[in-house]
């Protein structure tokens, strides 16, 4: 389990002007009615309308694709007058396999409240039962726990009103004939679409909130597909509108009952606000937003620079939930944290150039040079020809990748490093599609376009072959039950940070 870092002091400074701008950009969601396409279990049971179920009967409905929305069940009874409450069990699943596991066995470290199941009593039939919660699912299992000896349940219809800020009909097909790449692209777009709600959510099943690291990648995929600039703008204003303590941008935000930042600072996520703003500005040339948010971006760099030791490195906070980089209990994040600071400074220089902020440009250029030198001095192991991290001098994939993205070495040397990393395959591997995104980015940075395509096919294509309708939060082809939370039951199978193949592929096939 990752150590949860709870701040002792937490003082939020809301910027009402920014929050008002964000509020005005709140999207009107598209709503689409979807009905089950198939009945997967309950073969003996008649279909709609008038599907009759007795005590202990159950059906599994397949809605044909991953849905995010609100479910209504049109229920009635048959037989004698209803002489007892109908007692129902409903379970929603993003993948069919989930229904083969027992949610009561869940013993992970995050709340089982996220498991999508309900026990419901219906006192009076007929009833159009509109469930108040929003679910993320393709499959719905309905079990009759009890009716009575004198009446049975009749299900006349089940519908889901699917919601999203965008409509996938707006997107042109990918310009390649390769069927696997086209499939990967469409699954990625479905993932993105289902995560685009009032804000860019990380996962519509869990955590259903706005995380900064996820937003940056979703926004990149969105620029190549839906081009919904307002939703990105809204999210950037929300982050910048609720800094805490010395001006830190929170790692994630809650939107209900009213916008609040989480009391979590992630060093890397806060810094990545800088590249998210640069991407947004380069895409839209939206001067007003840029002028508003530039100081918040620079503030994140200043805060990060304050963490530097006299030796110009970031202290090791591995083991705390402080610099995310990737899930994985054993990952040492010290070297990557310095690399992410250097990477963000490079984006900071771009922003400062747009702002014609000469003082900043000079300061950041100097820092960039000093920190690149420091990264090599402290973390490059000449004998192994790899970057190491932490006191235990750990060699991980993530450290090499972030050092490449930080451009600590010239391109040719980085190229050698990525090939060496692939060849040696360090034991501390990549766990999530979030880190995989950065691996693909590092391959592209070092001129390995063909290999990048192959890796997209192998990794995201692996999920497709394993039946993904939307891409998963965690995917380890060697351990498909991998979970950072102690149980794969709680994993999200439509997860924002996994949607980026569409970003890469649409750039390749422009
Ligand atoms: C998880 C979420 C989210 C991610 C954080 C760090 O809780 O899945 O996507 O950004 O971790």
């Amino acid at each position: 389990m990752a150590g949860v870092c709870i701040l002792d002091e937490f003082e939020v400074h809301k910027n009402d002007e920014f929050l008002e701008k964000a509020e005005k950009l709140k999207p009107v969601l598209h709503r689409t009615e979807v009905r089950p396409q198939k009945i997967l279990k309950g073969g003996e049971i008649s279909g709609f309308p008038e599907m009759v179920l007795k005590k202990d009967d159950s059906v599994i409905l397949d809605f044909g694709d991953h849905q995010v929305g609100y479910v209504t069940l049109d229920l009635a009874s048959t037989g004698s007058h209803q002489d007892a409450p109908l007692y129902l069990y409903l379970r929603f699943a993003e993948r069919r396999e989930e229904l083969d596991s027992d949610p009561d066995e869940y013993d992970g470290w995050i709340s089982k409240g996220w498991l999508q199941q309900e026990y419901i009593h219906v006192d009076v039939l007929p009833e159009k039962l509109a469930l108040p919660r929003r679910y993320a699912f393709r499959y719905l299992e309905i079990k009759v726990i009890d009716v009575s000896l004198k009446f049975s349940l009749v299900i006349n219809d089940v519908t889901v009103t699917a919601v999203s800020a965008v409509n996938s009909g707006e997107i042109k097909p990918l310009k390649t004939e390769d069927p696997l790449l086209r499939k990967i692209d469409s699954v990625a777009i479905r993932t993105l679409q289902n995560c685009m709600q009032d804000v860019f959510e990380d996962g519509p099943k869990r955590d259903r909130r706005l995380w900064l690291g996820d937003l940056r990648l979703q926004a990149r995929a969105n620029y190549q597909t839906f081009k919904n600039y307002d939703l990105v703008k809204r999210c950037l204003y929300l982050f910048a509108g609720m800094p805490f303590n010395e001006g830190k941008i929170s790692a994630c935000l809650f939107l209900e009952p009213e916008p609040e930042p989480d009391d979590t600072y992630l060093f890397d996520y806060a810094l990545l606000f800088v590249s998210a703003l640069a991407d947004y500005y380069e895409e839209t040339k939206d001067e007003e937003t840029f002028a508003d948010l530039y100081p918040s971006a620079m503030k994140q760099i200043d805060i990060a620079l304050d963490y530097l030791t006299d030796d110009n490195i970031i202290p090791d906070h591995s083991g705390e939930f402080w610099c995310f980089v990737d899930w994985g209990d054993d990952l040492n994040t010290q070297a990557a944290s310095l690399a992410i600071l250097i990477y963000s400074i490079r984006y900071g220089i771009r922003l400062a150039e747009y702002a014609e902020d000469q003082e900043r440009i000079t300061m950041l250029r100097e820092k960039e040079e000093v920190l690149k030198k420091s990264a090599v001095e402290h973390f490059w192991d000449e004998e192994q020809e790899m970057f190491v991290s932490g006191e235990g001098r750990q060699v991980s994939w993530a450290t090499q990748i972030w050092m490449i993205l930080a451009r600590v070495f010239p391109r040719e040397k980085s190229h050698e490093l990525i090939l060496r990393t692939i060849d040696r395959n360090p034991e501390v591997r990549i766990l999530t599609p979030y880190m995989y995104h950065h691996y693909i980015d590092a391959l592209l940075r070092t001129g390995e376009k063909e290999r990048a395509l192959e890796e997209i096919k192998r990794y995201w294509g692996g999920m497709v072959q394993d039946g993904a309708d939307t891409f998963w939060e965690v995917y380890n082809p060697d351990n498909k039950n991998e979970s950072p939370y102690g149980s794969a039951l709680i994993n999200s199978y439509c997860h924002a940070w996994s949607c980026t193949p569409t970003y890469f592929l649409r750039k390749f096939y422009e």
Side-chain angles (χ1 to χ4, degrees):
M1 173 189 144
V4 176
C5 180
I6 297 177
L7 300 171
D8 294 335
E9 282 167 38
F10 182 63
E11 202 190 329
V12 180
H13 315 285
K14 289 198 179 178
N15 179 323
D16 292 336
E17 193 195 319
F18 285 7
L19 294 180
E20 266 163 40
K21 286 192 179 184
E23 182 59 28
K24 285 196 183 126
L25 294 161
K26 199 169 175 177
V28 176
L29 300 184
H30 295 255
R31 302 169 82 81
T32 320
E33 291 269 295
V34 184
R35 294 204 149 69
Q37 308 292 304
K38 271 193 242 156
I39 298 175
L40 294 190
K41 189 182 145 196
E44 329 256 284
I45 293 165
S46 59
F48 303 124
E50 294 183 15
M51 177 190 272
V52 178
L53 285 94
K54 298 189 287 297
K55 178 181 167 122
D56 295 329
D57 279 348
S58 68
V59 285
I60 296 176
L61 308 178
D62 175 0
F63 283 77
D65 201 351
H66 189 276
Q67 313 291 342
V68 177
Y70 298 89
V71 171
T72 302
L73 296 102
D74 187 350
L75 307 176
S77 68
T78 182
S80 302
H81 194 279
Q82 180 187 5
D83 59 344
L86 159 69
Y87 190 21
L88 270 186
Y89 172 74
L90 304 177
R91 187 166 174 207
F92 298 86
E94 297 185 295
R95 299 167 64 227
R96 171 67 188 83
E97 291 78 355
E98 288 171 54
L99 297 176
D100 299 331
S101 57
D102 181 358
D104 290 340
E105 282 172 14
Y106 173 75
D107 63 350
W109 61 272
I110 54 177
S111 170
K112 62 170 70 124
W114 291 115
L115 298 176
Q116 304 184 100
Q117 56 175 348
E118 311 292 350
Y119 291 87
I120 296 173
H121 291 85
V122 182
D123 291 318
V124 181
L125 292 168
E127 160 89 3
K128 267 210 173 182
L129 182 65
L131 303 177
R133 302 189 66 220
R134 199 196 71 193
Y135 301 95
F137 68 103
R138 171 171 168 176
Y139 304 96
L140 166 58
E141 181 174 23
I142 305 175
K143 237 185 230 175
V144 177
I145 302 174
D146 219 337
V147 269
S148 87
L149 295 174
K150 295 178 71 179
F151 83 97
S152 300
L153 167 68
V154 176
I155 307 180
N156 284 320
D157 204 2
V158 182
T159 53
V160 53
T161 304
V163 288
S164 169
V166 287
N167 190 340
S168 62
E170 298 156 11
I171 298 174
K172 294 198 191 98
L174 182 71
K175 290 186 200 144
T176 168
E177 293 308 312
D178 185 318
L180 180 57
L181 289 179
R182 290 187 92 150
K183 179 72 185 168
I184 292 173
D185 179 65
S186 72
V187 172
I189 291 172
R190 184 74 180 177
T191 309
L192 178 61
Q193 179 187 7
N194 284 0
C195 292
M196 288 174 76
Q197 301 292 336
D198 269 359
V199 291
F200 282 93
E201 290 184 11
D202 63 332
K205 167 185 162 189
R206 204 219 79 243
D207 310 323
R208 298 169 64 152
R209 73 187 72 134
L210 175 59
W211 282 88
L212 188 36
D214 301 65
L215 167 68
R216 166 173 160 269
L217 301 193
Q218 283 168 298
R220 286 184 169 179
N222 170 50
Y223 300 146
Q224 297 298 324
T225 53
F226 298 106
K227 301 187 189 301
N228 186 330
Y229 301 120
D230 278 355
L231 197 64
V232 181
K233 183 172 167 180
R234 165 167 159 79
C235 294
L236 292 173
Y237 271 110
L238 282 168
F239 275 115
M242 294 184 278
F244 65 91
N245 296 6
E246 61 268 52
K248 286 175 171 148
I249 291 185
S250 173
C252 81
L253 306 180
F254 303 99
L255 275 301
E256 304 284 353
E258 57 181 59
E260 283 295 341
D262 187 13
D263 53 355
T264 301
Y265 172 70
L266 285 180
F267 178 83
D268 49 348
Y269 275 26
L271 275 172
L272 292 171
F273 182 83
V274 183
S275 90
L277 180 60
D279 289 348
Y280 173 79
Y281 178 69
E282 286 166 10
E283 189 65 27
T284 62
K285 297 285 175 299
D286 173 351
E287 299 291 347
E288 186 189 323
T289 303
F290 172 68
D292 277 351
L293 304 186
Y294 174 74
S296 311
M298 290 304 142
K299 186 80 192 166
Q300 302 319 301
I301 296 181
D302 293 342
I303 291 169
L305 289 172
D306 276 346
Y307 283 103
L308 287 169
T309 63
D310 294 344
D311 287 354
N312 282 313
I313 55 171
I314 301 294
D316 192 353
H317 284 274
S318 306
E320 287 163 59
F321 192 56
W322 188 83
C323 182
F324 173 64
V325 183
D326 195 10
W327 283 117
D329 284 349
D330 302 332
L331 178 67
N332 186 288
T333 57
Q334 187 184 22
S337 61
L338 183 61
I340 294 166
L341 173 55
I342 299 168
Y343 173 93
S344 304
I345 287 177
R346 195 173 71 247
Y347 278 97
I349 295 170
R350 257 148 86 168
L351 290 183
E353 283 168 351
Y354 301 136
E356 297 176 11
D357 183 349
Q358 201 47 55
E359 210 179 301
R360 269 272 156 194
I361 299 173
T362 313
M363 186 278 267
L364 291 178
R365 281 200 184 133
E366 274 173 28
K367 283 285 173 205
E368 188 186 16
E369 283 324 301
V370 169
L371 297 183
K372 279 183 176 177
K373 259 178 120 190
S374 165
V376 176
E377 249 172 58
H378 290 90
F379 299 115
W380 179 248
D381 183 319
E382 196 54 58
E383 225 166 85
Q384 301 189 69
E385 292 187 294
M386 304 283 271
F387 283 99
V388 294
S389 182
E391 243 188 281
R393 301 178 69 73
Q394 181 191 75
V395 178
S396 68
W397 278 78
T399 298
Q400 317 310 315
I401 289 165
W402 272 114
M403 287 294 181
I404 291 167
L405 295 177
R407 304 189 184 177
V408 168
F409 285 144
R411 200 178 165 111
E412 202 31 54
K413 198 160 176 184
S414 285
H415 187 207
E416 287 163 16
L417 177 59
I418 198 74
L419 296 182
R420 194 176 303 120
T421 308
I422 294 166
D423 183 47
R424 299 218 188 133
N425 192 9
E427 241 173 72
V428 183
R429 306 233 160 81
I430 300 174
L431 194 61
T432 61
Y434 172 76
M435 192 60 224
Y436 244 88
H437 167 92
H438 296 101
Y439 168 45
I440 303 294
D441 211 3
L443 285 172
L444 294 175
R445 162 76 198 147
T446 54
E448 285 284 333
K449 182 178 163 185
E450 283 311 310
R451 199 187 283 263
L453 261 180
E454 270 168 40
E455 289 293 61
I456 289 175
K457 280 184 160 182
R458 191 181 59 78
Y459 187 68
W460 280 273
M463 279 187 255
V464 166
Q465 254 120 43
D466 286 335
D469 297 305
T470 44
F471 287 125
W472 309 343
E473 173 180 23
V474 177
Y475 184 60
N476 176 355
D478 301 323
N479 172 13
K480 296 193 180 156
N481 276 325
E482 182 93 52
S483 172
Y485 314 111
S487 164
L489 270 174
I490 212 86
N491 287 7
S492 147
Y493 289 96
C494 172
H495 212 71
W497 65 23
S498 312
C499 75
T500 60
T502 190
Y503 159 75
F504 291 119
L505 294 175
R506 282 172 185 265
K507 285 186 115 190
F508 290 159
Y509 297 105
E510 250 162 354

